[in-house]
Amino acid sequence: MSKTKEAPEFQPSSSAVGEFRNCPPTDFSRRVEREALQEALADARERMPFDAPLLINGRTVETPEKIESLNPSAFKELVARSASASKDHTDEAIKAARAAYRDWSRTSAEERAAIILRAAEMLRERRHHFSAVMVLEAGKPWQEADADTAEAIDFMEYYAREMMRLGSRRRLQPYILGENNDLMYAPLGVVGVIGPWNFPLAIPCGMTCAALAAGNTAILKPAEQTPLITYLWVMLMKEAGIPDGVLNFLPGKGEVCGQRLVEHDEVNMVVFTGSREVGLHIIKGAAETPPSRAFVKRVVTEMGGKNGLIVDSSADLDSSVPDAIYSAFGFAGQKCSACSRLIVLEDVYDEYVKRLVEAAESLKVGLAENPGTQVAPVIDKEAAEKIRSYIEYGKKDAKELFCADLDGLDEEGYFVSPSIFPVDSRDHKLMQEEVFGPVLTVIKAKDFDEALDIANSTQYALTGGVHSRTISN
Ligand code: NDP
């Protein structure tokens, strides 16, 4: 409310920067693109092992303790040796972010957006170099690494543009005599960003850019498995002109620096993507508000899933089967939205399952750097062992419909067999527990209502799908 100073009228976003457009995936059917990625892979290999220090207040910091990133396709290969932040480093980064907040929060939305847009442009130019590092550090096949880079570019473009749209002060209608109502958005303060390894560039980049565009300062803690790719992006932001202290980078252990971001009084908000277990722990920890804290800490968490896909009797099996296969086994099933429960109506079940198994038999499991690979390794030894234990359980209890032969790949890399298990009960362990890997369960439903019931019968509610040509469903 203001009686004195006339506020500027709402300004629409600058047309000079253009509309948001999604960054298209690279067309690897073109030789020039294939060669460019091969070159980027060779270049990355020459530079291995990379070094990824902390970045605090614009300065890189080495630590005695190191985190090693091993190539999931060939675990003897050391991709990077990263620093590992202590509690003291975390406190130092929080102090730097707090000090930088004053100027950054008063920098105009246009100036903040301009830095992020410049960085997006640089990322577009170096796209294959980033994707190549992801192939080697995260074990992502070409298309999936490329999609991750494209999504990171999208997040930068989107949040920068959105902030230009939202950043101006708006005069709200209707006017009341003698009273003006203005709407403006204010940043919160220091934001702790805690990222996962499965989209190691796009997710940390998106969560961080949203915070920075809005005028917050940030401390970014990547997952232990993939600090290098996030470090390269942070250095790109530095090169694009992000001021010292505004973006700090803290590779390290979740229970040490992640935990510190959650409990520290000077961190206003925590943004997290990862498992349900850690996400719930963060929500609980952040909610504790001691007298020393002047605010209630905000939390945004994106957690796990147990995606159910219903196939009804009218579904087009020709398109449904390949979609289900890609959803279950693409990204080696390491996606919160991967199809892990296929619920098929009984009148099409036998035909569907027959086609599903035939399609699964043609999947190409292999090294992430081979352009033809469809299913690459999982992220690390711990993940591989956990998924294998589910497969063993499935083999004993459900009798597999399909379990790929790995042909010795698992002796050199973290490979697990893409597998399909039929189950009779919605309460089966494979139907209820999140298996973060290429394991698909199939269950029969007598009609659409029962299928819906089964789809809703887990503790997860993140995503779901229906393949049907019946509009009323
Ligand atoms: P985690 O939850 O184990 O780790 C995620 C991040 O949290 C990592 O950076 C980790 O650090 C950190 N962390 C661990 N412990 C703590 C703690 N006590 N306090 C603060 N931070 C902590 O998940 P994963 O890395 O295993 O990722 C896989 C999971 O993420 C899956 O369950 C999946 O469903 C979910 N996910 C959800 C997505 C979504 O959009 N909903 C997208 C991607 C994944 P460190 O690496 O050091 O352990």
Side-chain angles (χ1 to χ4, degrees), residues 67 193-199 203 221-226 251-262 270 272-279 281-282 301-306 334-337 379 434 436 460 462:
I67 296 172
V193 179
I194 302 175
W197 46 262
N198 63 341
F199 290 87
I203 292 183
K221 183 237 164 303
E224 264 174 87
Q225 294 87 342
T226 51
K253 294 202 171 79
E255 323 80 75
V256 179
C257 54
Q259 183 66 32
R260 188 66 183 150
L261 292 173
V262 174
V270 175
F272 165 87
T273 303
S275 63
R276 185 172 70 160
E277 188 194 353
V278 176
H281 171 77
I282 288 175
T301 54
E302 287 238 18
M303 300 180 277
K306 190 76 188 160
Q334 302 171 109
K335 237 176 13 135
C336 51
S337 55
I379 190 70
E434 188 186 39
F436 214 55
Y460 294 94
L462 189 68

Side-chain angles (χ1 to χ4, degrees), residues 16 41-42 104 122 146 151 184-185 192 199 262 309 335 432:
L41 279 164
W104 183 246
M122 289 159 57
D146 179 70
E151 194 181 4
M184 65 211 111
Y185 291 96
F199 290 87
V262 174
L309 172 62
K335 237 176 13 135
Q432 290 298 326

Side-chain angles (χ1 to χ4, degrees), residues 427-462:
D427 299 322
H428 195 279
K429 182 177 159 98
L430 294 180
M431 286 287 282
Q432 290 298 326
E433 295 181 15
E434 188 186 39
V435 186
F436 214 55
V439 177
L440 175 64
T441 37
V442 196
I443 189 166
K444 203 183 281 184
K446 69 175 182 317
D447 54 29
F448 194 77
D449 284 344
E450 188 183 64
L452 264 185
D453 243 25
I454 296 172
N456 287 326
S457 64
T458 70
Q459 286 205 323
Y460 294 94
L462 189 68

Side-chain angles (χ1 to χ4, degrees), residues 269-449:
M269 181 174 190
V270 175
V271 193
F272 165 87
T273 303
S275 63
R276 185 172 70 160
E277 188 194 353
V278 176
L280 295 179
H281 171 77
I282 288 175
I283 291 171
K284 198 167 163 209
E288 297 214 347
T289 308
S292 53
R293 191 175 301 166
F295 51 84
V296 177
K297 193 172 286 202
R298 315 275 175 94
V299 178
V300 175
T301 54
E302 287 238 18
M303 300 180 277
K306 190 76 188 160
N307 189 351
L309 172 62
I310 298 173
V311 180
D312 90 352
S313 324
S314 69
D316 175 0
L317 302 199
D318 289 340
S319 67
S320 175
V321 169
D323 283 359
I325 288 282
Y326 182 59
S327 179
F329 302 123
F331 300 84
Q334 302 171 109
K335 237 176 13 135
C336 51
S337 55
C339 175
S340 66
R341 297 177 300 145
L342 196 52
I343 306 153
V344 186
L345 261 60
E346 64 184 5
D347 43 355
V348 286
Y349 183 88
D350 291 342
E351 174 64 12
Y352 195 92
V353 164
K354 182 172 155 279
R355 292 206 205 177
L356 186 75
V357 172
E358 281 166 11
E361 278 164 354
S362 70
L363 280 172
K364 207 161 178 304
V365 183
L367 307 189
E369 66 198 76
N370 290 346
T373 292
Q374 289 169 295
V375 186
V378 299
I379 190 70
D380 60 13
K381 186 165 177 252
E382 200 186 328
E385 281 172 359
K386 194 168 171 197
I387 300 161
R388 282 180 200 137
S389 75
Y390 277 106
I391 294 175
E392 285 316 308
Y393 179 84
K395 281 183 172 177
K396 279 197 204 117
D397 200 72
K399 300 212 171 46
E400 82 265 21
L401 280 166
F402 170 73
C403 187
D405 182 359
L406 292 176
D407 232 357
L409 279 169
D410 49 339
E411 284 159 29
E412 308 277 325
Y414 304 123
F415 288 88
V416 297
S417 299
S419 307
I420 305 176
F421 296 102
V423 295
D424 291 329
S425 163
R426 67 184 70 183
D427 299 322
H428 195 279
K429 182 177 159 98
L430 294 180
M431 286 287 282
Q432 290 298 326
E433 295 181 15
E434 188 186 39
V435 186
F436 214 55
V439 177
L440 175 64
T441 37
V442 196
I443 189 166
K444 203 183 281 184
K446 69 175 182 317
D447 54 29
F448 194 77
D449 284 344

